[in-house]
Structures are given as C-alpha cells and as structure tokens.
Amino acid sequence: MTGDILLGGLFPIHFGVASKDQDLAARPESTQCVRFNFRGFRWLQAMIFAIEEINNSSMLLPNMTLGYRIFDTCNTVSKALEATLSFVAQNKIDSLNLDEFCNCTDHIPATIAVVGAAGSAVSTAVANLLGLFYIPQISYASSSRLLSNKNQYKSFMRTIPTDEYQATAMADIIEYFQWNWVIAVASDDDYGRPGIEKFEKEMEERDICIHLNELISQYFEDYEIQALADRIENSTAKVIVVFASGPDIEPLIKEMVQRNITDRIWLASEAWATSSLIAKPEYLDVVAGTIGFALKAGRIPGFREFLQQVQPMRDSHNEFIREFWEETFNCYLEDSPRWQESENGSTSFRPLCTGEEDITSVETPYMDHTHLRISYNVYVAVYSIAHALQDILTCTPGHGLFANNSCADIKKMEAWQVLKQLRHLNYTNSMGEKMHFDENADLSANYTIINWHRSAEDGSVVFEEIGFHSMHAKRGAKLLIDNTKILWNGFSSEVPFSNCSEDCEPGTRKGIIDSMPTCCFECTECSDGEFSNHKDASVCAKCPNNSWSNGNHTFCFLKEIEFLSWTEPFGIALAICAVFGVVLTAFVMGVFVRFRNTPIVKATNRELSYVLLFSLICCFSSSLVFIGEPQDWTCRLRQPAFGISFVLCISCILVKTNRVLLVFEAKIPTSLHRKWWGLNLQFLLVFLCTFVQVMICVVWLYNAPPSSYRNHDIDEIIFITCNEGSVMALGFLIGYTCLLAAICFFFAFKSRKLPENFTEAKFITFSMLIFFIVWISFIPAYFSTHGKFVSAVEVIAILASSFGMLACIFFNKVYIILFKPSRNTIEEVRCSTAAHAFKVAAKATLKHSTAARKKSSSIGGSSASTPSSSISLKTNDDPASAKPRVSFGSGTVTLSLSFEESRRSSLM
C-alpha cells in the first residue's frame, strides 16, 4: 500500500523453501516457498492493523499517510536479502535525485524503516545490508545476543529481549528444579549458537553439566536426525534444552514421536515455546509438559475483529490473504495459480473456494488472539516508528537532535534521521508502559513461563501460565513459579529426576569420580567432626570448636564440657580426702598445742613443728584449688600454692633434722653451736629456702602466667584445663622441691640412729621415700594424661605425699602422747639419750682400743703390755642413785642419772 511515508516489512509467511538442486542447465528459477505459516501471517496482519490505526488517528501523524511494502522471507536468508535489496535500491535511487532527468512523480517513495525480520539468522543478514545505509530496522522476534553489537549492526533495534537474558532465565529454571544433567540442542544459525553458548557459561557458573551439546537444522538429512535421536535416547539426562525455531526442531520431534520417547522434559526457548508447528495434538505424547519461555503478552484493542474481517475478494492486492484462505479451508480460489497447477496434476487436488467461507468456523493459529506476544511486538515496532516520525513532525527548531539543535524536515527526511530519532525515543504505549530502547537498542527482559497441557475437551495443546521471569527484578524475586500448576509429561505433579547421580543424603558429601564430569559423583560419608544438613552437599562443613557431629553427621551438638568438678564422684572423693587431711592435721596441731610442755613435744622442736603442721594444712588446702572449673585466677594460684606449701614443709623437716644431727654428733657442744642453731636461725633458714620457691613462682607468673584453656582435641568433649604457661617453670618448681626433699632424705637417713624421741629419723626417711616415689611417678603420669585427669593426678600426688609426711612424722608422737603417756616423761627422754650416748661411747672405745693395739703391736712386739679397758656398770645399794660407768684404760667416763624419789613418783 502506498503512502506519504513508506515502511518495509519482513515476515515468515512460509516456514521454508522447497529443496531443489539447481544444475544450472537453464536459467535458475526462484526457489518456491512451502508450508504456510499461520502465525507469521497474523504478525503481518498486526503490522497492517497498526498502520491503518495510525492513519486513522488524528493525534498521531495527522494529514500524513503511512504505506508499506511487505515481503515473505520464507524463513530463509536468501529470500530476506531479495526483499532487502529492493528497500536499499529504492533508497539509492532517491539519493541520486533523478527528477531533473525524468518524470519520477509516480516512483515509489524510499523505505525509511523496516519492521522485521523474525529469525535471528535472517535479521543478521538483513542488518548487515541495511546498516550500510543507516536504514532503521526494528525486529519483533530476533533475540540473538550478537545483534546487540552496535559496532557491527548500526541500525538494528528490536522489541524482543535478547537471548542474553533468556539463557540466564533457562539456567535459573534448571537450578530451581535442582537438575544438573541436561541435554542442549541449538539451531545451527546465529540464533541457536550464541544462545547456547551463553547458556553453557551460565551452566558452568552453577556447576551444572551438559551431557550432550548438539546442533540441528530443518535441512538436516534423515540419517543425521536419527543419529541425534539415538544419542538422546541413550543419554541418562531427562531434560532437553532447545534453542531453536519451530521449523528447525520439528524433524527431531517427529523422530522422537516415531520412537515413542515420552520420558523427556523439554525446555523451550521463546522461538518455539508457542509454535503452532510443534504444538500439535499428534506430538503431545512427546512434548506434553514442556516448559517454555514466552514473551510478555500484550493487548491490541480491535485486533480480533480485524483478523476476522479478512476476505480474499476485498483484499485482492494481498496475495498472502489468498494463499491463507486456501490453506485454511483446504481449497483453491478459482483464479489462483495453485488451482491451475492442480489441474495440471503438479499438486494435489482440492475443491474450489467460494471466497465467502466463515473464517470463525475453523480453528487455526491465525485466530489464536488470546496471548498476543510476537503480534504485540510488531504492533509496538510500528508505533515506535510512528512516534519517532511524530517527534520529527513536532520538533521545534533549536531543540532538535541534529547539528546546531536543528530539526529534520519530515517531507525531505532520510532514513538515518529516523534512526537518530528512534535512539532517543521515549513514549507511553496504549497499555500505559514506558517505551524506550537501551544503549544496545534492546527492550527490558520479561518472560512468561508456560507449561504445555493437553486440553480435556479436544486434546489440543493448552499453554498454561505457571510463572514469570524478570531479569531486572531484585535478587530472589526474578523467578516466580507456581509448582501446583505444572503437569510433567502431561499428567504427573512430581518433578522429574535429571541428575547424573542419585542425591547424596544429609550426612554425606559428593565425592569425585575419576574421568567423569563434576555432576557425576559418589556419596561419601562426612568425617567425624563434620556435617552436612542438606542433600547434595559439595563439602562437609566443620563443626564449631564447641560442637561435634552426631552419628549420622547431619548436625552438630554441643560438646560436653568436662573438668574435675565438685559434683562428680571423683571430685567429691578427692575433696573429702583433702578436707580430711586438713582436719587431721589441725587435730595433730591441737594435740601438740595442748601438750606443748611435754617432753616429746619439746624434744621435737615445738616451734618448728607448729610451722610444719601449718605447711601441711596449706598442702592439703592447695589441692582443693585443683578441683572445680579452671579459671585464670585458680590456674595462677594452684601451682604456686602447692609449690610454696611443700617447700615450707620440707624446709622445716630439713632444718629440724639437721639441727639435731649436728648437736648429737658434736663431741663437745659449744656456745657456737647453741648460738648458730638457735630458734631465730632456724626460722631464717626456713624462710630462705621458701623464699627461693617464692621467687621462682613470681618470675613464672610475670613471664608466662598460667591461664584457663579449653582443649578441643578430644572428640565430643571439651576439657577445661590450665595451660601452665611454661613447662620449664613448672619443672623448676617441682625440681627445687625434690632437691630439698633429697637433702632432707640424706640428713634423715644419716640421723636414723638418734634417740627416737627426738626426730623419729627413720619415719622421716620413710616419708621422704614416699615423697620421692609419689613425685617420680607423677612426672610420667602428668604428661601422659589428658583433660581433667591431669588435675586429678596432681591432686592425688599432693594428697599422697602430704598424708605420707603427716603420718610418718607425727602419728607416732600423737600415739605416745594420747595412748602411751608413760613414755612421754623426762626419764624416758633422758634414758633414750643416755642409751644413745652409751652406744656412741662404746663404739668410740672399741675404735680407740683397736687403734692402740695395732700401734703397740707394731712398736713393742708381743711382750709389750696393753692398757686394760673395761666397761662396767655399777649400781650402788642406794636406790636413790644410779651411776652407770664407762671405764677406759687411762680413765673413766661416768654417766650418772639421779632422781628424787618424790619427782619419780610424780612422773609415774
């Protein structure tokens, strides 16, 4: 149709061209288009409807008429380029300005914009040609992401979202249903290859595997289709993602129908998601349950009535209508060239059409106006061009888009000026939507997700809307699906399984299988201390330090916290022993205080005994600090308290034992002995020995103070222990204590034959032996135990050594004081002292006589006389006195003990 301004149109009125081998024996003929496309014809009608609506509008382009030249691309590049050449040639003729050479008033105006084409491969070829002349091209169905390259396709625009978004949306769907093993099939053209390439990248980012990646074309040979069907049939993947148009995928669908392969789920791109070529009842056994991406449907008021008004007699200028009529009613119009071919027998026979048939009496994709998607895109494309022309028409000089803010003259405008205006287009359409093209000349991406159902009434395909995908929505709101509306394979509500391996249950993780994709795995149980609480976990998460995994490794529970508690039987037993030791020591101290003036107490160095008993109370008490939950302050207190208490105790024993030993072994006790071994000096020596231990503790606490420590090394249990800070310092502390104990043992062993009433030397020896046995055993036990038993071992060592010293040193004396008071007398003390002196004197005499005998024998021979010696004990008849006498050759040592009778009586 002619007009003041001419628009071009490219539509796939046919699905393809007849396959014909041109042997060039004669002039090649134009290829014949075959298989009428009812949807493509409806798209063409949408363009015509929009142009007529604009021409009848008083608001948009008043006093101007839009015309159109529409061509059938037959869904092939060659046919589309034939049509495009006519657009370009007319623009070239106009640019030559031939009016002065000929009368060109009847020539066709130049095409200032083109609506089309449908397929991306076709649009790519057309865009390359139109871009040379900057003729704006607005596609309604070409979604290839390659067409967003404005450096290569300068004048291309579109009203359909790019496949860049569709590939992402498909990946989101697969991830939503937790599939990880799919088949990808793409058309071997500029639509399928870029789309599936983007899809592969999205799959890699989501760790989803593509088992088969195949290309397909409507021009494939039968054996190629069969080989592809074999690979699909043998694959374990159940989901097939298809980036192709209806004509390209149809041969594969037919082969799958013949093989009755009905257990696959198809994921359809928008190019065939609503294709009438595939959505046929005879294919539903295979494609029922297909999930498809459909463009957002629009509303075109009055379009339904316009479609019903088509009539071949009235629209005789439109050859496409005549063919549409014949294909709809399966007849031939009388003057149709196809009728003549049927008479010649070159085509199948059909009856004649009257041209008055009722178009509403038959169901075809042409009359399916319930969801206008591509048709609406065509409608928007035409209106976008019209609004760009309206902006040129109403442009105010000084506010234009061209040089010096000038405006284009609509009567003399050129295609590149319309392109400029389209790039800055911004208007609101009839549905109230803001329309503008982004920097890539694309519109925003919004898809409706549909599910193919079988109609219960007539068995036809029903496109059920189950959700939508919005690329520019917030994260988490991009994909919304109503699972209750989905029917898988046409009847099931259970999501199909399309994974390489079975799901790994919680408590396991996916393990790699050699030479297999990452989606194929084996399920490996999580290690102890690790867990997974969801299916198909890639890794097992480690439990926090205070937790441990349960038996199934599905969750972590809090570890049991253990320490030497006051409430557990072991802790109670140790505490009772420690308290008993304190009470028992306090009792002994009470006995010593009560009988402080008795000979036994006096003979054992009363004041040092008090200090010794106090230190034992401290030893028993220090063990209590090891019980209970360790805190920083208890950790810093317990070792110094134990070390200082024991050193104080052993220092007292050492000083007391050494003092008595020196006194008894002195031949003639002098005032010097009495001076240096007075009470003050004894306390000074105890203080100095203890002060060394105190300094060790101070240095330790300053440089490496102990602290509370949670030991997580043991499964299921957290041991709260003390980190001693410095093992060396602990070694010094115990080592110094043992050194003093060794010295004490030496003196105790040396004084073992002194009078029993003084030091009980043999019992001190035994106590030191017990001390050594306990602490030598403690060292390996301490370093080989863990947790609360470390504290228990040390408490047992403290209690054992404390009880050993208490029992060995004091129990014998307490027994004499309480149960044998007859032995707690001055006579007993003196007798034991005299007996000890007698033994010493006898030993000395024997030693002296032996030495003298050897000397005389060496000088005077056998005739020499030897001094006589005798030891005699004479007792006078006087009962009041007794004088034991020790006689030597040259003198006599007399030990006399005299008691008053009255005193003896009082003591007895």
Side-chain angles (χ1 to χ4, degrees):
M1 188 181 76
T2 60
D4 300 323
I5 300 173
L6 201 63
L7 304 183
L10 297 173
F11 294 91
I13 309 303
H14 293 85
F15 283 114
V17 296
S19 178
K20 187 175 182 181
D21 185 19
Q22 299 283 2
D23 59 2
L24 301 180
R27 184 183 181 87
E29 297 178 0
S30 177
T31 53
Q32 183 181 0
C33 298
V34 296
R35 295 191 299 167
F36 191 83
N37 184 358
F38 288 95
R39 291 180 71 218
F41 181 65
R42 189 179 71 224
W43 302 342
L44 177 150
Q45 290 291 79
M47 179 176 178
I48 296 175
F49 174 78
I51 290 176
E52 291 185 1
E53 197 173 60
I54 292 168
N55 288 338
N56 295 329
S57 172
S58 58
M59 301 296 294
L60 197 58
L61 298 178
N63 303 320
M64 297 196 71
T65 303
L66 295 180
Y68 53 82
R69 296 176 67 204
I70 300 176
F71 293 87
D72 179 12
T73 65
C74 300
N75 206 34
T76 60
V77 173
S78 58
K79 285 291 183 179
L81 287 178
E82 287 180 17
T84 306
L85 285 173
S86 68
F87 300 147
V88 173
Q90 191 61 48
N91 277 48
K92 192 65 177 175
I93 292 171
D94 282 1
S95 66
L96 294 176
N97 193 13
L98 301 178
D99 289 345
E100 58 183 88
F101 299 101
C102 63
N103 183 10
C104 298
T105 56
D106 294 331
H107 81 279
I108 302 174
T111 302
I112 55 94
V114 176
V115 177
S120 294
V122 176
S123 286
T124 299
V126 172
N128 280 319
L129 190 53
L130 293 179
L132 295 174
F133 302 93
Y134 292 93
I135 299 174
Q137 172 191 0
I138 303 181
S139 174
Y140 47 85
S142 299
S143 56
S144 173
R145 64 189 183 91
L146 298 181
L147 290 168
S148 296
N149 186 350
K150 294 300 104 181
N151 292 325
Q152 185 171 358
Y153 307 105
K154 301 178 178 64
S155 62
F156 180 82
M157 311 177 85
R158 52 186 161 192
T159 56
I160 184 175
T162 173
D163 287 337
E164 184 88 12
Y165 303 137
Q166 186 174 195
T168 302
M170 283 186 165
D172 288 343
I173 285 279
I174 292 173
E175 187 176 33
Y176 177 82
F177 290 113
Q178 298 180 357
W179 296 322
N180 69 2
W181 194 237
V182 300
I183 298 171
V185 178
S187 57
D188 191 11
D189 54 28
D190 288 341
Y191 169 72
R193 287 192 300 268
I196 212 68
E197 181 184 337
K198 173 64 176 176
F199 177 74
E200 289 175 5
K201 292 181 180 178
E202 293 290 336
M203 292 294 97
E204 289 178 6
E205 292 179 2
R206 292 167 169 79
D207 291 329
I208 300 173
C209 301
I210 298 177
H211 184 211
L212 296 176
N213 197 341
E214 304 287 346
L215 294 176
I216 196 172
S217 171
Q218 60 179 314
Y219 303 112
F220 270 15
E221 299 293 338
D222 289 345
Y223 74 89
E224 294 178 291
I225 297 297
Q226 292 170 3
L228 175 57
D230 287 339
R231 291 192 291 272
I232 292 175
E233 187 174 10
N234 295 329
S235 173
T236 56
K238 301 300 181 183
V239 175
I240 305 174
V241 179
V242 180
F243 255 97
S245 62
D248 286 326
I249 196 63
E250 186 187 22
L252 177 61
I253 299 296
K254 286 182 177 179
E255 183 65 26
M256 301 285 278
V257 170
Q258 290 180 2
R259 301 186 182 205
N260 195 30
I261 302 175
T262 60
D263 60 343
R264 299 298 195 269
I265 296 298
W266 300 81
L267 193 57
S269 65
E270 46 77 27
W272 72 279
T274 57
S275 173
S276 59
L277 200 62
I278 309 300
K280 295 179 180 179
E282 56 265 33
Y283 296 160
L284 262 182
D285 287 342
V286 170
V287 298
T290 295
I291 301 293
F293 285 86
L295 301 174
K296 185 178 180 181
R299 182 173 51 86
I300 307 177
F303 187 50
R304 176 184 180 185
E305 292 74 16
F306 178 79
L307 293 177
Q308 294 174 351
Q309 291 172 4
V310 66
Q311 215 278 339
M313 301 305 177
R314 186 177 68 248
D315 301 315
S316 57
H317 66 284
N318 191 339
E319 180 61 28
F320 297 139
I321 291 181
R322 298 172 64 83
E323 186 176 358
F324 159 73
W325 200 267
E326 293 174 348
E327 294 296 328
T328 300
F329 296 103
N330 196 27
C331 62
Y332 290 127
L333 293 169
E334 187 173 2
D335 56 347
S336 171
R338 287 168 292 278
W339 165 252
Q340 297 174 0
E341 292 175 1
S342 68
E343 286 186 332
N344 297 332
S346 58
T347 60
S348 60
F349 175 79
R350 291 182 184 180
L352 285 173
C353 304
T354 64
E356 300 296 334
E357 287 83 1
D358 184 8
I359 192 66
T360 61
S361 64
V362 292
E363 288 188 6
T364 63
Y366 171 77
M367 291 301 297
D368 183 11
H369 53 81
T370 54
H371 299 290
L372 300 175
R373 307 182 194 279
I374 302 296
S375 300
Y376 181 71
N377 286 352
V378 174
Y379 184 78
V380 170
V382 174
Y383 263 88
S384 296
I385 297 172
H387 277 279
L389 296 174
Q390 178 70 17
D391 290 343
I392 292 175
L393 180 64
T394 59
C395 178
T396 303
H399 297 84
L401 299 176
F402 305 98
N404 299 321
N405 296 325
S406 61
C407 298
D409 185 356
I410 196 166
K411 295 181 179 180
K412 297 180 181 180
M413 67 179 177
E414 297 182 29
W416 64 270
Q417 294 174 315
V418 179
L419 177 61
K420 175 74 170 178
Q421 202 71 48
L422 280 168
R423 289 177 177 176
H424 293 80
L425 185 65
N426 196 341
Y427 74 99
T428 303
N429 64 11
S430 59
M431 293 182 63
E433 297 175 338
K434 292 286 185 180
M435 302 300 299
H436 71 280
F437 297 96
D438 62 17
E439 66 275 7
N440 294 323
D442 299 328
L443 292 181
S444 59
N446 294 300
Y447 295 101
T448 298
I449 303 172
I450 60 174
N451 185 220
W452 289 21
H453 291 188
R454 188 191 298 271
S455 173
E457 299 176 357
D458 55 6
S460 61
V461 179
V462 176
F463 302 126
E464 179 72 24
E465 292 188 4
I466 60 171
F468 66 89
H469 188 281
S470 179
M471 196 65 197
H472 300 293
K474 293 181 180 179
R475 186 174 181 85
K478 291 184 177 182
L479 178 65
L480 291 178
I481 294 180
D482 186 354
N483 292 329
T484 61
K485 294 182 178 181
I486 302 178
L487 289 180
W488 302 103
N489 300 112
F491 60 87
S492 175
S493 59
E494 183 179 355
V495 179
F497 181 82
S498 185
N499 293 359
C500 181
S501 303
E502 293 290 334
D503 293 342
C504 287
E505 296 298 322
T508 62
R509 63 172 178 84
K510 295 187 288 187
I512 297 175
I513 301 177
D514 292 340
S515 71
M516 292 293 289
T518 56
C519 300
C520 302
F521 49 82
E522 58 184 1
C523 297
T524 305
E525 186 176 2
C526 294
S527 303
D528 290 339
E530 298 180 345
F531 76 101
S532 64
N533 56 7
H534 60 276
K535 289 185 175 182
D536 283 346
S538 298
V539 294
C540 295
K542 284 188 174 295
C543 292
N545 281 339
N546 63 340
S547 302
W548 193 252
S549 57
N550 65 328
N552 295 328
H553 303 283
T554 55
F555 64 89
C556 294
F557 61 88
L558 291 177
K559 289 182 178 181
E560 182 182 353
I561 297 178
E562 283 198 4
F563 51 87
L564 191 58
S565 172
W566 293 100
T567 58
E568 65 176 290
F570 195 30
I572 293 173
L574 293 177
I576 290 174
C577 291
V579 172
F580 176 71
V582 171
V583 172
L584 192 59
T585 308
F587 171 75
V588 173
M589 180 178 284
V591 170
F592 267 55
V593 172
R594 171 69 179 81
F595 297 95
R596 60 186 176 276
N597 294 320
T598 60
I600 288 290
V601 176
K602 288 182 177 181
T604 56
N605 201 332
R606 179 175 52 192
E607 288 76 8
L608 279 180
S609 295
Y610 293 158
V611 176
L612 177 58
L613 288 168
F614 171 75
S615 66
L616 284 173
I617 291 176
C618 293
C619 289
F620 284 114
S621 300
S622 68
S623 65
L624 296 175
V625 187
F626 289 80
I627 304 175
E629 181 177 351
Q631 305 290 337
D632 286 347
W633 69 271
T634 57
C635 291
R636 292 167 187 171
L637 173 63
R638 64 185 193 175
Q639 297 292 6
F642 142 71
I644 294 172
S645 299
F646 265 82
V647 166
L648 179 61
C649 176
I650 295 173
S651 299
C652 292
I653 298 173
L654 174 63
V655 170
K656 187 169 64 168
T657 304
N658 195 33
R659 171 182 174 274
V660 174
L661 180 64
L662 291 176
V663 169
F664 272 91
E665 287 192 347
K667 301 295 185 293
I668 302 175
T670 63
S671 60
L672 185 65
H673 286 95
R674 291 190 293 271
K675 177 181 177 182
W676 285 106
W677 282 103
L679 189 61
N680 292 334
L681 181 59
Q682 297 174 44
F683 283 121
L684 177 61
L685 291 175
V686 170
F687 170 77
L688 290 176
C689 292
T690 308
F691 180 74
V692 173
Q693 186 77 306
V694 171
M695 292 308 299
I696 292 175
C697 294
V698 169
V699 173
W700 180 8
L701 293 177
Y702 180 79
N703 291 314
S707 60
S708 176
Y709 168 68
R710 290 177 177 256
N711 186 351
H712 301 276
D713 296 338
I714 308 300
D715 301 347
E716 304 181 18
I717 298 175
I718 297 176
F719 287 121
I720 304 181
T721 59
C722 285
N723 179 8
E724 302 300 349
S726 173
V727 178
M728 183 181 294
L730 179 61
F732 275 119
L733 183 141
I734 297 177
Y736 179 67
T737 306
C738 291
L739 175 64
L740 291 181
I743 298 172
C744 185
F745 175 78
F746 171 76
F747 285 119
F749 181 79
K750 194 173 181 180
S751 60
R752 66 189 183 281
K753 295 182 179 180
L754 293 180
E756 293 182 351
N757 287 356
F758 278 87
T759 61
E760 298 288 354
K762 63 181 178 181
F763 293 113
I764 293 177
T765 305
F766 291 151
S767 69
M768 291 300 101
L769 283 174
I770 293 173
F771 182 89
F772 278 120
I773 292 171
V774 168
W775 288 102
I776 290 174
S777 302
F778 163 79
I779 295 173
Y782 181 85
F783 289 103
S784 61
T785 54
H786 300 279
K788 64 181 180 181
F789 298 106
V790 175
S791 299
V793 165
E794 192 160 358
V795 171
I796 292 172
I798 293 173
L799 294 178
S801 54
S802 299
F803 275 114
M805 288 188 289
L806 178 65
C808 291
I809 297 174
F810 290 101
F811 280 8
N812 182 51
K813 297 176 177 58
V814 171
Y815 174 76
I816 293 174
I817 292 172
L818 295 180
F819 301 107
K820 297 290 183 177
S822 60
R823 295 178 58 186
N824 189 12
T825 61
I826 191 65
E827 293 85 350
E828 283 291 324
V829 173
R830 288 177 176 176
C831 284
S832 63
T833 304
H836 175 74
F838 177 77
K839 293 177 183 178
V840 171
K843 186 180 294 185
T845 302
L846 182 60
K847 183 178 180 181
H848 178 75
S849 65
T850 303
R853 194 181 307 115
K854 287 182 179 180
K855 183 177 180 182
S856 62
S857 136
S858 62
I859 297 175
S862 57
S863 62
S865 62
T866 56
S868 62
S869 63
S870 65
I871 302 174
S872 62
L873 179 60
K874 296 182 179 180
T875 306
N876 296 333
D877 295 335
D878 186 2
S881 64
K883 295 182 180 179
R885 176 170 300 183
V886 181
S887 300
F888 298 95
S890 59
T892 301
V893 178
T894 302
L895 299 177
S896 61
L897 301 175
S898 61
F899 301 91
E900 295 178 359
E901 188 66 34
S902 60
R903 180 65 175 167
R904 179 187 298 268
S905 301
S906 64
L907 290 174
M908 297 302 290

